[in-house]
C-alpha cells in the first residue's frame, strides 16, 4: 500500500504492461496477437511476469482507506480499464457459410491473457467492495469506458420494431449468425461485477443519488453478453462448424472453471442486471430476436408447417436446439440467485451449491471436487469450510480413492438445469438422480428446487415468470407438443418448459407463504395459466394442455413431473383461497399429498396382485405340461434314471469309498479314488472334449518365469547357464522357476493355429510400424485369447494316470518289503541300470555277487515301457518342458538336453512351495481357498511333471534318480560326490525322487507296487529333513518356556539329537530339554508337510479331510495321517534304526556338516521365514528426506535426480540417469533394470520417491506405473506430488502390493496395463 501511495506502483505496472503490448493492436485499437508460436509464447511469458507483480500488490486488501490511497488506486483502476478496453472485442469471429475456414485463427494468446488477469479483476473488485467511495467512483469510471466501447463499429446494425402479445419495442437489426461477434468482453464483465457489489454492500440502497443509474441503458448493457450466449447456442446447434476448432476451444474455455467466474458468470449477471431494469416482455423479445427465433414464435402456424415428408431436417434441428438454449437462458436469468448481491445468500451457500451439484453427478474424490470449483488468488476454493455439511466421506478400499457422497437431505437442492453443468454432466446427473429416487421408492420427477429471495436491486426479475411473452412462449411450445404428428418440438424442449412452469409455481407458493395479511399479491401465475389463449386462435389454457399431457402415452418419462405440477397448482389454488389461514392450508396441502400417495400405493398394490395371479396361472400351466410330457415318455425317463443311478454308484466325483478320517494320500494304504469324467470346452472353437490319455490334447494358457520370491540369498545367481547343473536345489531357494496360469482351456491344435496367426500378425506389424507390443512373440509370448493375460507356453491337461498304479490289495501289508529291503533292491537295480547306460559289461564278479538277490529276479532293463499318451499330448509335454528349460536357465530351447526333466520337477516343487507360503502368510487353510485357476494350474502342473518321464530318455531320468538318491544313501560311484544334506532343499529332492522313480520301477516285474517305493522315498526324505532341522536349529537361542513334561516324542527327539552329537564329534551344542527339540521339529517340518500334502493331493487325486479345509489347531496330526506318517515322527527312526543309523553317521560325517557344526560356515534354519517387501515409514516425508540425502554412487557425490527405492531389498538406486547405466547382455540399461536381474531374476518393484509412484519392471521392454501405497487424508494418491498434501502409508494397499509380488502377478499386471494404455509400450523401460 505504501508503494501504491508513494510510488503509484499500480499505474506504473499496468502502464508498462500496456506499453509492451501496444504494438499488437488492430485498426480499432484492440489487441490482435500474432500466431502463438514457441518464441511468441516465451516473449509473452516474460511480459506476464508483470501481472504477477500486480497480483502481489493487490493481494493484501486495505482495512483502512486514506484519501491518497483511494486517489492512487482509482488512478491505477482507470489505467486498468484502458487495458481492458483494448481487450474488449478481441479476436472477433464471423460465421463461415460457404466453405470451411482455411487457417485456424489465433486465439490462445487472448485466452492466456484473460486467464492471467482473472484473479487481478477479482481482486480489483474486492478492493472496491472494501470502500464505498472507491466503489462508487470505480462504477462511474467503468460505465464511461463501457459506453465508449458500445459506440464502436456498428457492424451494419439497422433499427427495427418488434411486436408481440401487444408489446412493442424498437431494437437494432443484429444477427449473430451474420455479423462479427467476440467472446472477450472484460469491461462489460467488470461492470456487472461492480453492479453486484452495489447490491452486496447495500451502496445502491443507501446512496442512490450518487450512482449514475439513470444513465444506464438496459438494452445496451445486455447486448454484448447476449451475443456471447447466442454464439454458444449456435455453436451447439452446429451452425458454426465451418469455423473450425479454434471457436470450439474458445467456447470450451468460456465455460471452463478457470475462466467462467470472470466470463460466463459475469455475462449472466449482466443479463440479470439489464432484465431487472427493463420491462420483462421487452427483455424476452430482445432475447427471441437475438436467438433469431422471433419469426418462429410470431408465426402461429409454425408447428403445423412441418410434416415428415417436407422438412429441412437440419434447419428444424437447429431451431429446436436454439429454442432449448433460449429456454435454458430464461431459466438461468430467473433461477441463478446463488451469487451474493443477486440473491440473499452468502459465499458459503454458493460453494455448497456447487459441491451439491457436482456430487449429484456421482460420488467424487477430493481432488475432483477441487478441480471442479473455482480458485481464488491464493489457490483456495473454500470447500473445506462447507463440505462436511453437505456430504460424508467414504474411505477408500484396496483400490480407488476416498469419495465424498452427497447427504440424502441435500438431494432436494438438485437443479437438473444447473448452469455450470456441461451437457454430458447434465445427462449423467439426471440419470443418477432419477435412479436414486427410484431406489428410494419416490417418483422420478426432478422438480426445480426452492430458491432464495432476490436482493432488492434484482427483485423485479421474478416478473419475467408472469410476463405475457413468457406465457406466450410456454403456451406455444405446449401447443406444438399437444398437436398430433408435430415435429417442431423435442422432449428436451418440453422438459425445459415444465421446469419453467414449476419455477413460476414455486415462486408464487413462496410469496403466498411469506406474505403478511396486508400485503398485496402481485405475482399471479396460476390465474394466467388457467386462462385460454386469445384470438386469432382460441387455444386451450396452459393448465388444460398439461392435463392432456398427463395421459399422453408417448410422454411416460415426464408423467411424474406433470403430476407434480398439477398437484402444486392445486395446493397454490387452495392457499390463495384461504391466504388468511396459511398454516391450516399447509396441513390440508399435506393431506392432499397423502391422499394422492395412498391412491398411488393402492394402484401399485392392485397391479402387483394381478401380476402375482398371472404368474401363478402360468406356473400351473407349465407344471401340467411337464407332467403330461413325463406321462407320455415314461419309459425314456425310467431308462435315464437307471443310467444316472448306475453312473453315480460307480463313478462318484473323485470321492473315496471311505470316511474322511481314513483318507490317505500315498503308500500301499492309499485311498482308492475314481477319476471323474472331465469334459472341458475350448475357448477358441467352443467344442467340448473329454480329457483322456489317447485323445487330442487340451491345454491351459500359462506363463513360466524365474523367481526370487522365496530367496534367502539374492547374491547367488547362475553365472554359466550352459554348464550349470540344476539337479539339487539349495535350501536358500536363490532362484526358482514358477509356472502360473489364467485357467483358460484350448485344444492344442486351436492354440497352435492361434499362436501362428499372432506370429504372422506381429511380423507384419514390425514391418509396418516398428513399435513394441506388450508381448514378445520371438520369445514365445502371446496373450490369452479370452482374458488377454500374458502367457508364454501351455500346460497339457492330463487324466489321473497314477490311479492305475495304486497298491495291489491282493498282497497283505505284511508282505510288503520294509525300507531296508526296498532300499537294497532299488540300489542294486540302479547300479545295473548305470552299468547298462554306461555300456559296461556286467562282470562275473558282479553276477556272482548278485546271485540269489531278489532284486534282479524279475528286473528286466531291456523291456521298454509303453507310452499311453497320444501324439498330441506327447507334443504338448515336450512343448512345456522346453519352455520351462529355456526360461529357467535362460538358454536356447533344446528338448534333448538332459537337464529338461530336472527343470520340470523343480518348477512343480517351487510353484507348490510359493503357493504354500502365500496361504500360510494369508492365514488361510491349505485346501479349499485357492482360486479355480490356481487350483487347475497346480493339478495340471503336477500331473505334467509326473508324466514327463514318458517323453524323456529313460537312461537320463534313471541317472538323475541315482544321483538324487545318492544324497540320502551314498553309493560307490566316486565320480560325482553328492552335496551334503545341509545343501539340499528336501521338498525339491522329494518331488524329483518321486517323479523320477517310475523310470526305474517300470523295469521291475516283482509285483511290488509303485506306491510302496513312493512311501519309502517319502519316509526317507522326511527323516533326512528332521536331521536337517535338528542340525540347524541347535545353534539358535532357546527362548521358549517348557509347557509340559517330556513324553515319548520328546525322549526320542532327545535320543536322536544325542546320536547326532556323537556322529558330528560332539561339536553340536548340548540341549538338555527333549521338549524343546520336539517343538523345533514340529515347527520346522510343518511347511514341508504342507507342501507334501499339496503335492500328493494333486498327484494322486485323493480328497482331503474336511478339517484340513478349515483353520484349526490339529493340522499337524491331520497332515501326518493324510501323508501316511506316524504322529510321532521319531518312531520312523526307531522302526528303521538298522538302516538309518549308518546313513545318519555318513550324513553327519560329511565335511560341510562338520564345518557347519564347528561354526565355520552358515546354513539355513527351519522353518524358513517368509519373504516380505521392506517396511516403509508411515510418513512419506521420511522417504523424501532419505532420498534427498542419497547421492549418485558414480558421479562424485552429486544428488540423484530420480532416486528410486527397491521395495524387495531396500536398496536406493539412481534411476533414469546416464551416469548409472551399465551394460547387460550387450545393451546399456538403467540402474533399476540392472538391479532387477540381480535382485528379482528380471522382475522388480520400485518406488520412485520424487514422483510418489510405484514402478513395475519385467525384463528390458516391459514396465508400467502403479499407484503408490501412500494416501493423503482424502484417500487419494498424489502421483507427481502435485497437490502437496501430507501422505501416509496405507497398510492395506501395501499388503495388496505385496500379494501381487508373492503371487508372481507383476508381469501379468504389466501386460494388462500396457494393453489398456498403449503409450506405456513406447517407453524405453530399460533406461529407467
Amino acid at each position: 500500500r505504501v508503494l501504491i501511495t508513494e510510488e503509484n506502483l499500480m499505474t506504473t505496472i499496468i502502464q508498462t504492461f500496456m506499453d509492451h503490448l501496444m504494438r499488437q493492436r488492430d485498426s480499432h485499437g484492440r489487441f490482435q496477437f500474432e500466431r502463438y508460436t514457441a518464441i511468441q509464447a516465451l516473449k509473452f511469458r516474460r511480459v506476464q511476469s508483470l501481472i504477477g507483480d500486480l497480483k502481489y500488490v493487490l493481494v493484501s486488501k486495505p482495512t483502512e482507506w486514506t484519501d491518497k490511497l483511494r486517489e492512487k488506486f482509482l488512478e491505477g483502476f482507470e489505467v486498468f480499464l484502458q487495458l481492458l478496453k483494448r481487450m474488449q472485442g478481441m479476436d472477433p469471429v464471423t460465421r463461415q457459410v460457404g466453405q470451411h475456414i482455411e487457417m485456424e485463427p489465433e486465439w490462445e494468446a487472448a485466452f492466456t491473457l484473460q486467464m492471467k488477469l482473472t484473479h487481478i479483476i477479482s481482486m480489483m473488485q474486492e478492493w472496491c467492495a472494501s470502500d464505498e467511495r472507491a466503489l462508487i467512483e470505480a462504477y462511474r469510471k467503468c460505465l464511461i469506458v463501457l459506453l465508449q466501447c458500445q459506440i464502436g463499429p456498428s457492424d451494419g446494425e439497422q433499427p427495427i420494431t418488434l411486436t408481440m402479445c401487444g408489446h412493442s419495442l424498437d431494437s437494432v437489426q443484429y444477427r449473430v449468425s451474420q455479423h462479427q461477434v467476440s467472446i472477450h468482453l472484460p469491461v462489460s464483465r467488470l461492470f456487472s461485477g461492480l453492479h453486484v457489489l452495489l447490491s452486496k454492500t447495500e451502496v445502491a440502497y443507501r446512496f442512490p443519488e450518487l450512482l449514475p443509474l439513470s444513465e444506464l441503458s438496459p438494452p445496451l448493457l445486455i447486448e454484448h453478453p447476449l451475443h456471447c450466449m447466442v454464439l454458444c447456442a449456435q455453436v451447439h446447434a452446429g451452425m458454426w462448424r465451418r469455423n473450425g476448432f479454434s471457436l470450439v476451444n474458445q467456447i470450451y474455455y468460456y465455460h471452463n472453471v478457470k475462466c467462467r467466474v470472470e466470463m460466463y458468470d459475469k455475462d449472466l449477471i449482466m443479463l440479470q442486471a439489464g432484465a431487472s431494469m427493463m420491462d420483462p416482455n421487452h427483455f424476452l423479445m430482445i432475447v427471441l430476436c437475438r436467438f433469431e427465433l422471433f419469426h418462429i414464435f410470431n408465426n402461429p402456424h409454425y408447428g403445423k408447417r412441418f410434416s415428415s415428408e417436407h422438412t429441412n431436417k437440419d434447419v428444424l434441428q437447429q431451431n429446436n436446439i436454439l429454442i432449448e438454449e433460449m429456454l435454458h437462458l430464461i431459466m438461468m436469468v430467473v433461477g441463478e440467485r446463488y451469487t451474493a448481491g443477486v440473491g440473499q445468500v452468502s459465499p458459503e451457500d454458493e460453494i455448497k451449491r456447487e459441491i451439491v451439484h457436482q456430487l449429484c453427478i456421482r460420488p467424487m474424490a477430493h481432488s475432483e471436487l477441487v478441480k471442479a470449483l473455482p480458485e481464488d488468488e491464493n489457490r483456495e476454493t473454500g470447500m473445506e469450510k462447507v463440505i462436511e455439511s453437505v456430504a460424508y466421506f467414504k474411505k477408500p478400499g484396496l483400490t480407488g480413492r476416498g469419495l465424498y457422497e452427497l447427504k440424502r437431505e441435500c438431494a432436494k437442492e438438485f437443479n437438473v438445469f444447473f448452469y455450470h453443468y456441461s451437457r454430458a454432466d447434465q445427462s449423467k446427473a439426471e440419470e443418477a438422480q432419477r435412479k436414486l429416487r427410484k431406489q428410494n421408492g419416490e417418483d422420478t420427477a426432478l422438480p426445480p428446487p426452492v430458491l432464495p429471495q432476490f436482493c432488492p436491486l434484482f427483485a423485479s426479475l421474478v416478473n419475467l415468470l408472469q410476463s405475457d411473452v413468457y406465457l406466450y412462449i410456454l403456451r406455444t411450445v405446449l401447443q406444438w407438443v399437444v398437436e398430433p404428428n408435430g415435429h417442431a418440438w423435442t422432449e428436451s424442449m418440453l422438459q425445459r418448459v415444465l421446469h419453467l412452469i414449476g419455477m413460476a409455481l414455486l415462486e408464487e407458493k413462496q410469496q403466498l407463504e411469506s406474505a403478511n395479511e396486508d400485503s398485496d399479491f402481485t405475482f399471479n401465475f396460476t390465474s394466467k395459466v388457467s386462462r385460454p389463449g386469445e384470438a386469432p386462435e382460441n387455444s386451450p389454457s396452459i393448465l388444460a394442455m398439461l392435463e392432456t399431457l398427463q395421459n399422453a402415452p408417448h410422454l411416460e418419462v415426464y408423467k411424474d413431473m406433470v403430476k407434480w405440477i398439477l398437484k402444486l397448482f392445486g395446493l397454490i389454488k387452495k392457499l390463495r383461497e384461504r391466504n388468511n389461514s396459511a398454516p391450516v392450508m399447509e396441513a390440508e396441502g399435506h393431506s392432499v399429498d397423502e391422499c394422492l400417495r395412498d391412491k398411488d400405493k393402492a394402484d401399485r398394490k392392485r397391479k402387483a396382485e394381478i401380476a402375482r395371479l398371472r404368474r401363478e396361472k402360468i406356473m400351473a400351466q407349465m407344471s401340467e405340461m411337464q407332467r403330461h410330457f413325463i406321462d407320455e415318455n415314461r419309459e425314456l425317463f425310467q431308462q435315464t434314471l437307471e443310467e444316472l443311478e448306475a453312473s453315480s454308484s460307480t463313478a462318484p466325483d473323485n470321492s473315496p469309498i471311505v470316511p474322511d478320517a481314513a483318507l490317505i494320500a500315498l503308500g500301499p494304504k492309499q485311498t482308492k479314488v475314481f477319476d471323474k469324467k472331465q469334459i472341458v470346452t475350448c475357448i477358441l472353437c467352443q467344442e467340448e472334449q473329454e480329457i483322456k490319455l489317447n485323445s487330442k490334447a487340451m491345454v491351459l494358457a500359462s506363463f513360466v518365469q524365474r523367481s526370487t520370491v522365496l530367496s534367502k540369498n539374492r547374491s547367488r545367481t547362475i553365472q554359466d547357464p550352459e554348464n550349470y547343473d540344476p539337479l539339487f536345489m539349495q535350501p536358500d531357494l536363490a532362484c526358482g522357476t514358477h509356472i502360473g496360469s489364467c485357467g483358460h482351456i484350448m485344444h492344442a491344435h486351436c492354440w497352435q493355429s492361434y499362436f501362428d496367426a499372432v506370429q504372422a500378425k506381429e511380423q507384419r506389424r514390425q514391418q509396418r510400424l516398428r513399435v513394441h507390443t506388450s508381448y514378445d512373440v520371438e520369445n514365445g509370448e502371446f496373450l490369452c485369447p479370452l482374458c488377454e493375460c500374458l502367457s508364454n507356453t501351455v500346460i497339457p491337461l492330463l487324466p489321473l494316470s497314477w490311479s492305475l498304479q495304486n497298491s495291489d490289495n491282493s498282497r497283505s501289508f505284511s508282505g510288503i518289503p520294509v525300507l531296508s529291503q526296498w532300499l537294497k533292491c532299488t540300489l542294486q537295480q540302479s547300479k545295473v541300470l548305470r552299468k547298462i547306460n554306461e555300456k559296461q559289461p556286467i562282470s562275473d564278479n558282479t553276477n556272482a555277487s548278485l546271485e540269489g538277490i531278489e532284486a534282479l529276479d524279475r528286473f528286466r532293463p531291456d523291456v521298454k515301457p509303453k507310452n499311453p499318451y497320444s501324439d498330441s499330448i506327447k507334443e504338448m509335454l515336450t512343448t512345456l518342458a522346453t519352455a520351462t528349460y529355456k526360461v529357467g536357465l535362460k538358454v536356447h530351447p533344446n528338448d534333448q538336453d538332459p537337464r529338461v526333466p530336472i527343470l520340470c520337477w523343480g518348477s512343480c516343487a517351487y510353484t507348490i512351495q510359493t503357493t504354500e507360503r502365500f496361504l500360510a502368510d494369508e492365514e488361510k487353510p491349505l485346501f479349499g481357498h485357492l482360486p479355480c485357476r490356481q487350483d487347475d494350474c497346480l493339478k495340471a502342473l503336477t500331473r505334467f511333471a509326473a508324466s514327463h518321464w514318458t517323453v524323456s530318455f529313460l537312461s537320463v531320468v534313471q541317472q538323475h534318480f541315482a544321483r538324487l538318491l545318492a544324497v540320502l544313501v551314498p553309493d560307490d560311484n566316486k565320480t560325482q560326490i553328492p552335496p551334503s544334506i545341509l545343501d539340499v532343499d528336501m521338498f525339491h529332492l522329494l518331488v524329483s525322487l518321486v517323479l523320477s522313480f517310475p523310470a526305474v520301477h517300470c523295469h521291475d516285474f516283482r509285483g511290488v507296487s509303485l506306491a510302496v517305493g513312493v512311501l519309502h522315498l517319502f519316509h526317507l526324505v522326511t527323516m533326512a529333513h528332521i536331521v536337517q532341522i535338528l542340525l540347524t536349529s541347535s545353534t539358535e537361542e532357546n527362548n521358549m518356556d517348557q509347557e509340559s513334561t517330556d513324553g515319548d516324542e520328546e525322549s526320542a527327539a532327545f535320543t536322536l539329537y544325542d546320536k547326532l552329537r556323537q556322529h558330528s564329534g560332539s561339536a553340536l551344542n548340548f540341549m538338555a530339554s527333549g521338549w524343546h527339540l520336539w517343538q523345533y521339529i514340529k515347527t520346522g517340518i510343518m511347511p514341508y508337510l504342507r507342501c507334501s500334502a499339496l503335492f500328493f493331493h494333486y498327484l494322486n487325486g485323493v480328497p482331503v479331510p474336511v478339517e484340513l479345509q478349515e483353520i484349526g489347531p490339529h493340522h499337524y496330526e491331520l497332515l501326518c495321517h493324510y501323508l501316511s506318517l506316524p504322529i510321532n515322527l521319531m518312531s520312523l527312526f526307531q522302526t528303521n534304526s538298522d538302516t538309518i543309523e549308518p546313513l545318519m553317521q555318513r550324513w553327519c560325517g560329511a565335511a560341510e556338516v562338520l564345518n557347519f557344526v564347528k561354526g565355520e560356515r552358515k546354513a539355513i534354519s527351519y522353518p524358513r521365514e517368509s519373504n516380505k517387501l521392506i517396511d516403509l515409514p508411515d510418513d512419506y516425508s521420511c522417504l523424501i528426506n532419505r532420498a534427498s540425502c542419497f547421492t549418485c554412487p558414480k558421479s562424485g557425490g552429486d544428488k540423484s535426480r530420480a532416486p528410486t527405492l527397491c521395495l524387495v531389498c531396500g536398496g536406493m538406486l539412481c534411476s533414469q540417469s546416464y551416469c548409472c547405466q551399465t551394460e547387460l547382455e550387450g545393451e546399456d540399461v538403467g540402474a533399476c533394470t540392472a538391479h532387477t536381474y540381480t535382485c528379482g531374476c528380471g522382475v522388480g518393484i520400485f518406488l520412485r520417491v520424487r514422483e510418489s509412484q510405484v514402478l513395475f519392471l519385467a525384463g528390458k521392454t516391459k514396465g508400467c506405473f502403479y499407484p503408490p501405497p501412500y494416501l493423503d487424508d482424502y484417500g487419494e494418491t498424489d502421483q507427481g506430488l502435485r497437490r502437496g498434501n501430507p501422505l501416509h502409508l496405507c497398510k492395506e494397499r501395501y499388503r495388496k502390493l505385496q500379494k501381487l509380488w508373492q503371487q508372481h502377478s507383476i508381469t501379468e499386471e504389466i501386460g494388462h496395463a500396457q494393453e489398456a494404455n498403449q503409450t506405456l509400450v513406447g517407453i524405453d523401460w530399460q533406461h529407467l
Side-chain angles (χ1 to χ4, degrees), residues 946-1013:
S947 304
H948 181 259
W949 70 275
T950 61
V951 292
S952 299
F953 293 112
L954 271 181
S955 58
V956 169
V957 180
Q958 289 161 0
Q959 286 169 16
H960 291 329
F961 176 76
R963 286 184 60 201
L964 289 162
L965 191 59
V967 174
L968 304 174
V969 188
D971 59 9
D972 56 359
N973 185 5
K974 304 296 181 186
T975 57
Q976 293 177 323
I977 300 171
S980 73
I981 62 167
L982 290 182
D983 296 322
V984 178
D985 177 66
M986 286 301 165
F987 181 67
H988 272 75
L989 182 65
L990 170 70
V991 171
S992 301
L993 280 169
V994 168
L995 299 184
S996 59
F997 179 56
V1000 175
H1001 184 267
C1002 65
H1003 300 301
D1004 190 348
F1005 292 90
R1006 293 175 301 143
V1008 178
S1009 79
L1010 181 69
V1012 173

Side-chain angles (χ1 to χ4, degrees), residues 128-148:
C128 293
S130 62
D131 182 66
E132 294 169 351
R133 286 169 59 192
L135 176 59
I136 293 168
E137 284 302 314
Y139 187 77
R140 282 177 176 280
K141 291 177 186 295
C142 192
L143 178 60
I144 292 166
V145 174
L146 179 60
L147 292 173
Q148 290 171 1

Side-chain angles (χ1 to χ4, degrees), residues 593-663:
D593 288 357
E594 285 168 13
C595 289
L596 285 164
R597 207 176 293 119
D598 291 344
K599 189 179 177 184
D600 287 348
K601 279 184 183 175
D603 284 349
R604 281 200 295 272
K605 192 174 179 182
R606 183 176 55 79
K607 286 176 183 175
E609 184 64 23
I610 292 168
R612 186 183 64 78
L613 291 170
R614 187 166 176 273
R615 278 198 304 272
E616 286 180 358
K617 185 179 178 183
I618 291 168
M619 290 302 291
Q621 287 174 349
M622 286 175 67
S623 180
E624 178 62 27
M625 288 165 69
Q626 284 174 346
R627 191 183 60 75
H628 184 64
F629 182 77
I630 290 170
D631 287 345
E632 284 185 351
N633 301 277
R634 189 175 297 280
E635 290 180 7
L636 181 64
F637 272 88
Q638 189 63 36
Q639 184 183 343
T640 309
L641 286 169
E642 286 171 3
E643 286 175 3
L644 282 170
E645 285 172 10
S647 64
S648 64
S649 63
T650 56
D653 289 353
N654 232 22
S655 53
I657 52 174
V658 290
D660 276 6
L663 289 169

Side-chain angles (χ1 to χ4, degrees), residues 607-716:
K607 286 176 183 175
E609 184 64 23
I610 292 168
R612 186 183 64 78
L613 291 170
R614 187 166 176 273
R615 278 198 304 272
E616 286 180 358
K617 185 179 178 183
I618 291 168
M619 290 302 291
Q621 287 174 349
M622 286 175 67
S623 180
E624 178 62 27
M625 288 165 69
Q626 284 174 346
R627 191 183 60 75
H628 184 64
F629 182 77
I630 290 170
D631 287 345
E632 284 185 351
N633 301 277
R634 189 175 297 280
E635 290 180 7
L636 181 64
F637 272 88
Q638 189 63 36
Q639 184 183 343
T640 309
L641 286 169
E642 286 171 3
E643 286 175 3
L644 282 170
E645 285 172 10
S647 64
S648 64
S649 63
T650 56
D653 289 353
N654 232 22
S655 53
I657 52 174
V658 290
D660 276 6
L663 289 169
I664 296 173
L666 73 156
K669 292 186 176 180
Q670 177 188 319
T671 306
K672 279 194 175 182
V673 291
F674 301 94
D675 195 18
K676 66 178 178 181
K677 188 177 180 182
Q678 192 179 358
I679 297 174
V680 292
T681 306
C682 171
I683 61 169
L684 289 171
C685 68
Q686 299 300 313
E687 286 185 11
E688 291 185 343
Q689 183 176 310
E690 186 181 351
I691 305 295
K692 287 183 178 178
L693 290 170
N694 54 0
S695 63
K696 290 179 183 177
M698 299 294 286
V699 293
L700 284 173
S702 60
F703 188 74
V704 184
Q705 59 184 315
R706 299 168 81 204
S707 165
T708 59
V709 167
L710 300 178
S711 174
K712 292 297 175 186
N713 182 10
R714 297 184 187 281
S715 61
R716 190 163 62 79

Side-chain angles (χ1 to χ4, degrees), residues 911-950:
T911 305
I912 287 173
Q913 281 181 313
T914 54
T915 304
E916 184 276 328
R917 274 297 83 202
F918 176 73
L919 289 170
D921 292 341
E922 292 291 304
E923 297 181 350
K924 289 181 178 177
L926 189 60
F927 296 97
H929 280 73
L930 280 178
C932 290
R933 72 173 196 167
Q934 218 167 335
D935 190 61
D936 292 344
C937 174
L938 283 174
K939 184 196 295 181
L941 179 59
T942 308
R943 294 182 183 180
F944 150 76
S947 304
H948 181 259
W949 70 275
T950 61

